[in-house]
Amino acid sequence: AGGAGGRGRRRGRAVKEAIYAGTFDPVTCGHVDVAERAAHVFGRLTVAVAEDPAKTLLFPVEERMALARESLAHLDNVEVTSFSGLLGDWARARGVHTLIRGLRAFSDFEYEFQMALTNRKLAPDIETLFLMPNEDFSYVSSSMVREIASLGGEAEKFVPAAVAEALRRRLGPR
């Protein structure tokens, strides 16, 4: 019983599936860590790679999906797909009511908080849960990885091996 009044459940059912969405350009060790954490909490996790035409991206969506699949292949309850449009609408169409967002540092909080509240207004039946990556990855961002790789730095310290190779192919040695 307890005093939670059914919180943590949606209309009498335990939450079983979540969506972890992002551009993943490229997927980093921090993304993998957050996906692993979410995959341990939920029976099924969909990693949704955004087809984001508003951003200038290094990798096309098909390659970002392939890199995410390879990086997350060790998780048997994870599916990688792409989406476009409003995430809340896409999640609702799939029957999923939980979104996962990673928080690396306090500097992420304001943006993520704003996005979560906007999503709540647009899709009040969908909850956002924040997960923190291992502190070893709390400072790693895709934009930092792209900059390091473009300047000839060792990106493999921050990304899975397949992603490091894709960065070398895309950017060449510097």
Side-chain angles (χ1 to χ4, degrees):
R7 291 180 190 255
R9 295 180 173 264
R10 182 152 312 277
R11 294 180 183 81
R13 293 181 308 234
V15 178
K16 295 183 172 122
E17 184 173 355
I19 293 172
Y20 178 31
T23 53
F24 305 107
D25 187 43
V27 64
T28 68
C29 292
H31 292 134
V32 172
D33 187 70
V34 168
E36 288 171 344
R37 291 171 190 283
H40 289 301
V41 173
F42 295 93
R44 180 155 187 77
L45 178 67
T46 299
V47 173
V49 179
E51 300 173 23
D52 194 351
K55 287 186 176 183
T56 302
L57 300 170
L58 182 60
F59 294 103
V61 68
E62 298 81 13
E63 193 166 1
R64 289 181 283 134
M65 287 173 49
L67 291 169
R69 281 187 185 113
E70 188 166 348
S71 300
L72 300 170
H74 63 287
L75 301 170
D76 62 2
N77 62 334
V78 174
E79 166 196 19
V80 177
T81 190
S82 66
F83 80 99
S84 61
L86 293 174
L87 179 58
D89 291 345
W90 188 78
R92 189 181 296 114
R94 294 177 61 93
V96 179
H97 297 277
T98 306
L99 304 178
I100 301 298
R101 299 297 298 173
L103 282 179
R104 293 169 301 177
F106 188 73
S107 57
D108 287 343
F109 181 77
E110 186 174 354
Y111 172 78
E112 294 295 343
F113 182 71
Q114 192 174 32
M115 185 185 307
L117 290 179
T118 301
N119 280 336
R120 182 182 289 170
K121 193 64 138 176
L122 293 171
D125 57 324
I126 296 177
E127 292 293 338
T128 301
L129 298 180
F130 298 103
L131 294 177
M132 297 181 303
N134 182 296
E135 58 274 4
D136 292 343
F137 309 122
S138 63
Y139 60 91
V140 178
S141 69
S142 292
S143 57
M144 182 184 295
V145 166
R146 288 191 308 270
E147 183 175 353
I148 290 167
S150 71
L151 296 171
E154 297 178 26
E156 51 274 335
K157 293 180 178 183
F158 310 103
V159 296
V163 175
E165 180 55 36
L167 285 165
R168 277 191 291 278
R169 283 192 314 268
R170 174 73 45 156
L171 299 172
R174 298 273 184 246

